[in-house]
Amino acid sequence: DSRGRFARILEEFEVGSAGPAGFVPGTTTRRFRIIADNCLSTLMVPQTLAQLRSMAPKATFDLCALPRQGDINQALADGGIDLAVGNAPSPPLLLRTVPLIDAEIACVVGPNHPLARRKRLTMEEYLDLDHISPSPREAASLSPIDGKLHELGINRRIAASVPDFALVPYVVSQTDLVFTTCRPFAELVAQMMPLGVLEAPPEFGIMTFQLLWHERVHKDPANLWLRRTIRAIGAEVTSILRPLDSANASQRNPVTNS
């Protein structure tokens, strides 16, 4: 979109002649550490690693979890992390950012949930439900859901939290808990299990994923190559997701067909 194009133009202007020149992906043995601990990971990480491995077969790529205290700033500032994919409603002001992917927000419920065959939720209904979250409670402000609710001056009841996104669909399928996530991930898990997908309250708006990095590596050729590569993959994923969103517009609830 226009934000992404402007950010790319601005970055390339600021980096100038310090672009990827001098960095050779095919021969580098560098270790790259990337935080990619959100619902986009399942959709994007396999393709990203395949592409990075084909371009830099001798490099090492570590996909890392969000720090328990949610301090992405410090992790990027001290060099422990090279790049992060975040989806906080308000990205940290001290970091460089560029938009990656925009996605609708949806709610996932188990097949026996009273709302399993509903198509959408109001905010009033949403706040009356019990929820599950894969975000550390200490990092709630970085959650695209709890962070947005905080901006609205309201809170939801998180009845359970888990340390891994992969656990969520299994827990939701056997409980009355509600999982709120980006629609692409919701649709993906609903294809694998008999889960219901509902439109989230409109107050949530759109979930935006961003790339985040620290000023100290802004002109680093290797980091610039990494950012450009992931942005290109993000554009490919976006081109795939948009037609799927249109195709699913009239079929928001897989449970009705199970």
Side-chain angles (χ1 to χ4, degrees):
D1 60 14
S2 59
R3 291 176 308 151
R5 288 194 298 272
F6 176 77
R8 287 193 292 272
I9 292 171
L10 180 61
E11 178 189 2
E12 290 172 4
F13 174 78
E14 292 178 337
V15 170
S17 60
F23 174 71
V24 182
T27 60
T28 186
T29 58
R30 181 163 170 169
R31 179 187 179 192
F32 295 95
R33 306 169 191 85
I34 307 166
I35 290 179
D37 185 22
N38 51 55
C39 55
L40 186 64
S41 301
T42 303
L43 300 164
M44 195 168 168
V45 165
Q47 182 179 351
T48 299
L49 281 179
Q51 181 74 5
L52 293 174
R53 286 279 301 147
S54 69
M55 298 174 70
K58 297 181 180 180
T60 301
F61 301 95
D62 295 338
L63 279 298
C64 308
L66 184 73
R68 289 302 300 180
Q69 298 301 322
D71 195 350
I72 292 180
N73 280 323
Q74 189 61 42
L76 290 167
D78 65 17
I81 296 295
D82 297 293
L83 192 65
V85 178
N87 56 354
S90 299
L93 296 176
L94 299 178
L95 299 177
R96 292 268 186 170
T97 67
V98 66
L100 188 61
I101 291 175
D102 286 341
E104 296 178 6
I105 298 177
C107 297
V108 181
V109 297
N112 298 318
H113 195 283
L115 301 177
R117 287 171 174 77
R118 286 278 298 278
K119 292 187 176 181
R120 59 186 58 86
L121 287 173
T122 66
M123 183 60 79
E124 182 178 3
E125 291 171 325
Y126 182 86
L127 296 177
D128 281 338
L129 300 169
D130 287 339
H131 301 266
I132 183 171
S133 174
S135 299
R137 295 181 187 271
E138 302 90 339
S141 63
L142 295 177
S143 162
I145 307 305
D146 295 295
K148 181 63 177 179
L149 291 175
H150 179 73
E151 290 180 358
L152 295 172
I154 52 181
N155 294 289
R156 61 176 178 165
R157 170 175 151 73
I158 299 177
S161 62
V162 294
D164 194 326
F165 275 87
L167 291 172
V168 175
Y170 297 95
V171 176
V172 169
S173 69
Q174 298 183 49
T175 67
D176 64 345
L177 299 176
V178 179
F179 177 47
T180 311
T181 185
C182 69
R183 177 169 288 282
F185 184 73
E187 300 285 1
L188 177 65
V189 297
Q191 292 173 13
M192 302 165 56
M193 305 177 68
L195 300 170
V197 178
L198 301 80
E199 293 180 20
E203 290 88 344
F204 280 117
I206 296 295
M207 186 181 296
T208 297
F209 296 87
Q210 315 99 5
L211 282 182
L212 304 100
W213 65 98
H214 195 267
E215 182 67 32
R216 66 177 184 80
V217 296
H218 183 56
K219 296 184 178 182
D220 173 56
N223 196 281
L224 179 57
W225 165 79
L226 184 64
R227 299 195 306 265
R228 287 178 174 174
T229 301
I230 294 179
R231 284 209 313 263
I233 297 170
E236 294 177 12
V237 172
T238 296
S239 68
I240 295 172
L241 294 181
R242 283 174 179 166
L244 289 178
D245 283 342
S246 298
N248 290 326
S250 61
Q251 293 182 338
R252 295 304 195 190
N253 198 328
V255 171
T256 58
N257 296 323
S258 63

